[in-house]
Amino acid sequence: MSPENTHICPLEHSGRLDSSIRRWLQNPQKILAPYVREGMDVLEVGCGPGFFTLDIARMVGKSGRVVAVDLQEGMLQIVRDKVRGSGVEGRIVLHRCEAERLGVSGSFDLVFLFYVVHEVPDRGALFREVVALLKDGGLVYVEEPPFEVSGKAFEETLRIAGDAGLEVTGRPKRFPDRAAVLKKP
Ligand SMILES: C[S@@+](CC[C@H](N)C(=O)[O-])C[C@H]1O[C@@H](n2cnc3c(N)ncnc32)[C@H](O)[C@@H]1O
C-alpha cells in the first residue's frame, strides 16, 4: 500500500545531496567499505545526483559493476555528466525506473538503499523486487534520515523487508540516522 506521506526529493536539492560538507559528514568510502568488494555487482536504488555512485564504481574495480537507478531523469543526467571522463564509466549503468517498479535485470551482491525507502510508495513491492534481484547470501544496506523516518516507521520498513524474505543481520551505528543490513538467506 502507498503511504500518503511519500515525498520525492526534488531535483533542486541535488546540490545539497552532493556537497563537500556532506562528504565530510557522510564519507561514502567509509560507509561502503564494510560491504563493497572488488568484482561485486551493486544495485543502487535512488542514486540521486550520484553522491555514492562513483565511489561504489571505484570500489568494485574493473571486474565489478554498478547499476544506478532513479525515478528522475534530471538526477540521472547529473550522474551521467559526472561519470563522463571519470575513468569508471564502463562500470556504471544508469537506469530510469518507475515509482513502483525498478525494471532492471541481473543478479546482485549488494543492493544499496540510502535515503530512498521512505520515498517509495510501496515498500513491499520494492523489497520483493530487491529479493528477486539479489544473489543468495546477497546483502541490502538501508539507511534512512531521522526526521523523515521515525524509529517506529523504520522498524515497520524492516518488518516489510522481512515479509519479503530478508533477514536483518546488522544494525550499523549511524546516529542520528537509522540503518540496517539485511541478507537474502
Ligand atoms: C533523498 S534522495 C537520496 C539520493 C541518494 N541516495 C543520496 O543519498 O544522495 C532520494 C532519491 O530517490 C529517488 N527516488 C524516489 N522514489 C524512488 C523510487 N520509487 N524508485 C527509485 N528512486 C526513487 C529520488 O528521485 C531521489 O533522487
Side-chain angles (χ1 to χ4, degrees):
M1 291 300 291
S2 306
E4 280 166 13
N5 61 348
T6 50
H7 162 81
I8 307 299
C9 176
L11 192 57
E12 302 85 78
H13 288 185
S14 60
R16 200 186 293 174
L17 285 171
D18 205 6
S19 68
S20 48
I21 292 177
R22 184 178 181 205
R23 198 155 284 276
W24 180 69
L25 291 169
Q26 295 185 328
N27 183 309
Q29 298 263 348
K30 274 193 191 159
I31 293 171
L32 295 161
Y35 315 105
V36 180
R37 296 280 171 274
E38 238 180 276
M40 276 188 166
D41 289 320
V42 178
L43 173 62
E44 183 188 15
V45 177
C47 61
F51 179 71
F52 290 97
T53 313
L54 274 80
D55 284 286
I56 300 172
R58 291 187 191 103
M59 293 169 85
V60 297
K62 283 183 187 159
S63 57
R65 184 177 64 124
V66 186
V67 177
V69 311
D70 204 285
L71 200 57
Q72 300 183 74
E73 179 54 33
M75 294 288 192
L76 293 171
Q77 189 56 50
I78 294 171
V79 187
R80 208 169 280 125
D81 292 342
K82 277 167 65 170
V83 165
R84 196 172 302 122
S86 67
V88 292
E89 48 266 68
R91 305 173 199 171
I92 299 175
V93 176
L94 299 177
H95 171 78
R96 186 176 183 184
C97 66
E98 293 163 28
E100 304 203 16
R101 188 166 176 270
L102 299 175
V104 296
S105 55
S107 63
F108 296 88
D109 301 284
L110 174 71
V111 177
F112 190 65
L113 301 168
F114 205 100
Y115 286 3
V116 63
V117 175
H118 65 285
E119 296 191 9
V120 176
D122 187 339
R123 288 172 284 175
L126 171 70
F127 284 114
R128 284 190 295 278
E129 200 173 355
V130 161
V131 167
L133 290 165
L134 268 179
K135 295 177 185 172
D136 289 346
L139 297 181
V140 180
Y141 182 94
V142 186
E143 184 157 335
E144 292 279 70
F147 299 112
E148 292 86 343
V149 180
S150 67
K152 197 174 160 200
F154 190 65
E155 293 311 309
E156 175 65 3
T157 287
L158 297 184
R159 187 196 62 73
I160 292 168
D163 285 350
L166 294 166
E167 290 173 358
V168 176
T169 60
R171 295 280 194 144
K173 288 193 178 21
R174 296 279 312 141
F175 182 83
D177 286 354
R178 312 185 193 286
V181 180
L182 303 102
K183 187 175 184 172
K184 177 175 174 176

